[in-house]
Amino acid sequence: MQLLEKNRIVNILASIVTLMLVLMQMITIPDHPVIYNFLTWLTWPSLFFIAGYYMTNKEGKASILHIIRCYLLPYIITGVLIVVVNKIMQVLHLAGEWVKIPFPSMKIGAVTMLYGNGWPTDTLIGHHDFGIGLLWILLALLFGVCIQLMIDKLRIQIVKVIISLVLMVLGFYLGTKVQLPWSLDAALIMQLYILSGKYFKTVVITNISAPVTIGVGMLTVWLMSISSGPFELTLATTRYWFWGTITALLGLIMLILIANYLTKLLSNPLYDYFVKLGDKQSINIAVLAFVNLMFPIAHYVSVIIKLPHGTFVIIWLVMVIIVFVVKLMIQYMGQRYFNWSSNEGIS
């Protein structure tokens, strides 16, 4: 498989992940637990796989600056924007069904962003409501890629694999004890998937039965979703590390094969439009996190559209469009005023 073909597959995969990520944020977990669980087993490994595929080979300062620009900068900007807008809404007394207020005060908001985790749970400084929504994934990607870059300095391939596996098991163990700051639990657990993405660029793909593999992957992920719950990276309840890893890898391979099929089905114009959705994934995450934390899109749509069974699909499409349009606006301003590269990789 040529590198160009692999690039197309990963581009398609990124767009599929974006669609699933938006869907995850729209689901009410108590009402649709199995669907939410199913999406977590597919989405989280794929995000880190993509980050590993586009992991930069730059040296020294250039590498650090690249990672900061890709992950830390969107996190900081979005976090500050959420805290400030949260305070403005409180001062103007606009909190209610039209605007959500995630933090009772700026101090709690600032501490939450500094600790940087996704859900309220037991932390190193006690039980706290450190919920920053989807933004936690940016910190997990940041530290996950940094760790893998350090591992990559080793010359022996098998040592890299062993260290990645050890760190993954360590992350699973720590995830059952306490929620570490800056999404470090998730960064450790995801080392194997980052390494897989890096190797996908150079490894030779052997012929496998795609329909059988897709079927086995779908069944395995679904059974795990029913029996063990979600692939949870933000709560201190992570478990089933061995079978969970096998399940996540099968789900990842399944999505790669589906993306490979789509590269053959989509013509060049359709391919170009579709991959724009998954491009600059960190911006997608930041925009989706901000909108989902601050604005009840489901309420807006349900007020306008009265469809008993179609409202959910419409809400999902509206969210996809919002993320896509805002991302394009940010990209345009970045390229025009801050000299962003228009063809930079997803991460």
Side-chain angles (χ1 to χ4, degrees), residues 78-328:
T78 309
V80 170
L81 189 61
I82 289 173
V83 173
V84 171
V85 173
N86 180 91
K87 184 63 177 180
I88 292 173
M89 294 300 103
Q90 288 177 323
V91 172
L92 298 179
H93 302 289
L94 296 178
E97 60 183 6
W98 295 100
V99 181
K100 294 188 287 187
I101 305 296
F103 304 120
S105 68
M106 287 191 73
K107 179 181 178 180
I108 293 177
V111 173
T112 300
M113 291 299 169
L114 289 173
Y115 199 89
N117 285 103
W119 293 93
T121 187
D122 293 325
T123 69
L124 291 177
I125 55 176
H127 189 91
H128 287 277
D129 189 358
F130 288 150
I132 60 174
L134 196 62
L135 277 181
W136 68 267
I137 195 69
L138 291 177
L139 289 181
L141 288 165
L142 169 71
F143 287 103
V145 170
C146 286
I147 292 170
Q148 194 57 229
L149 282 173
M150 289 188 289
I151 295 174
D152 193 53
K153 294 184 181 297
L154 301 172
R155 295 184 178 182
I156 304 175
Q157 298 297 328
I158 188 63
V159 174
K160 297 180 184 180
V161 175
I162 292 173
I163 292 177
S164 298
L165 287 171
V166 170
L167 290 177
M168 180 193 72
V169 175
L170 176 63
F172 272 110
Y173 172 75
L174 293 173
T176 63
K177 303 299 181 182
V178 67
Q179 189 185 70
L180 296 176
W182 314 317
S183 302
L184 288 174
D185 310 67
L188 293 172
I189 292 172
M190 292 288 104
Q191 286 305 303
L192 182 62
Y193 308 98
I194 300 175
L195 184 66
S196 300
K198 179 179 177 297
Y199 282 163
F200 183 68
K201 191 181 297 184
T202 57
V203 72
V204 177
I205 306 298
T206 57
N207 292 325
I208 59 176
S209 176
V212 172
T213 306
I214 292 174
V216 171
M218 183 74 71
L219 179 62
T220 305
V221 174
W222 186 256
L223 290 175
M224 183 63 77
S225 303
I226 296 173
S227 61
S228 71
F231 191 6
E232 187 56 74
L233 301 177
T234 58
L235 286 172
T237 57
T238 307
R239 52 184 178 172
Y240 304 127
W241 71 268
F242 179 77
W243 292 114
T245 301
I246 300 298
T247 300
L249 286 173
L250 284 172
L252 176 60
I253 294 171
M254 178 188 72
L255 285 183
I256 292 172
L257 292 174
I258 292 174
N260 186 34
Y261 273 129
L262 289 177
T263 60
K264 298 175 174 60
L265 291 176
L266 296 177
S267 61
N268 282 334
L270 288 175
Y271 167 83
D272 292 338
Y273 282 115
F274 187 63
V275 298
K276 286 182 183 296
L277 178 63
D279 186 32
K280 302 293 188 295
Q281 196 70 271
S282 58
I283 300 179
N284 286 342
I285 293 170
V287 172
L288 182 57
F290 177 79
V291 173
N292 197 51
L293 269 180
M294 300 302 301
F295 303 102
I297 300 298
H299 173 73
Y300 303 158
V301 175
S302 61
V303 168
I304 300 173
I305 301 173
K306 305 293 184 180
L307 293 177
H309 303 293
T311 306
F312 180 80
V313 175
I314 294 173
I315 293 171
W316 174 62
L317 290 174
V318 168
M319 280 296 293
V320 171
I321 293 171
I322 290 174
V323 170
F324 185 58
V325 171
V326 175
K327 191 260 296 283
L328 290 180

